[in-house]
C-alpha cells in the first residue's frame, strides 16, 4: 500500500496504526522516547526527521521518493557524488515519474 505523505500528522497516523496492529507500546520502540513518539503520532511539526526515519525503519515502513523523469538523471548523479556507497534501484517508471530506491552496500 502506498500513502502520499502530506504532513507530519499523516506519517504519525501510519506509525501509530502499524504500532497498534503489532501490539507495540510507545515505550517499546527502540531508539526514541515515548514522548518523541507521542509528538510524532500527534503530528508535531518540529520533530527531527532522522529520528522519524529510525522509527519508520523499526516498524518496517519503507520511505520512497518519487522523482520526475525529467530530473531523475540529476538526482542519480547527486546520489553517486554524495552517497557513492549506495545504489539507486528503479522501482517503477511512468510517463512523468520515476520511483527510485536507495540500497546501501
Amino acid at each position: 500500500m502506498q500513502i502520499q505523505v502530506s504532513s507530519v500528522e499523516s506519517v504519525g497516523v501510519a506509525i501509530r496504526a502499524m504500532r497498534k496492529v503489532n501490539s507495540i507500546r510507545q515505550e517499546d520502540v527502540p531508539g526514541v522516547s515515548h514522548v518523541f513518539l507521542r509528538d510524532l503520532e500527534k503530528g508535531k511539526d518540529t520533530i527531527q526527521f532522522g529520528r522519524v526515519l529510525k522509527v519508520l525503519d523499526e516498524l518496517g515502513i519503507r520511505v520512497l521518493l518519487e522523482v520526475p523523469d525529467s530530473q531523475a538523471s540529476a538526482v542519480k548523479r547527486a546520489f553517486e557524488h554524495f552517497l557513492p556507497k549506495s545504489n539507486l534501484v528503479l522501482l517503477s517508471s511512468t510517463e512523468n515519474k520515476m520511483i527510485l530506491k536507495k540500497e546501501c552496500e
Side-chain angles (χ1 to χ4, degrees):
M1 172 180 175
Q2 292 185 342
I3 300 169
Q4 183 171 346
V5 174
S6 57
S7 65
V8 175
E9 187 176 22
S10 62
V11 174
V13 168
I15 287 172
R16 185 172 195 274
M18 285 290 289
R19 190 175 58 72
K20 291 289 188 178
V21 163
N22 291 297
S23 300
I24 301 170
R25 298 178 321 148
Q26 286 180 334
E27 296 82 10
D28 296 332
V29 175
V32 295
S33 70
H34 73 280
V35 174
F36 174 82
L37 202 52
R38 179 199 63 211
D39 290 346
L40 171 57
E41 290 179 1
K42 288 186 175 190
K44 185 175 178 183
D45 287 333
T46 57
I47 57 167
Q48 296 174 346
F49 189 63
R51 293 173 75 192
V52 173
L53 292 175
K54 182 182 289 190
V55 170
L56 292 170
D57 185 55
E58 289 291 337
L59 295 174
I61 301 172
R62 293 186 346 204
V63 178
L64 304 173
L65 300 176
E66 288 187 353
V67 179
D69 282 340
S70 59
Q71 285 88 37
S73 61
V75 172
K76 187 170 180 7
R77 283 193 306 275
F79 266 76
E80 290 168 350
H81 179 75
F82 292 107
L83 302 169
K85 293 188 179 194
S86 66
N87 296 314
L88 285 181
V89 177
L90 176 64
L91 295 179
S92 71
S93 183
T94 63
E95 189 172 309
N96 61 357
K97 288 184 181 174
M98 179 180 285
I99 301 175
L100 301 170
K101 175 184 171 190
K102 182 186 91 152
E103 289 188 342
C104 294
E105 294 177 348

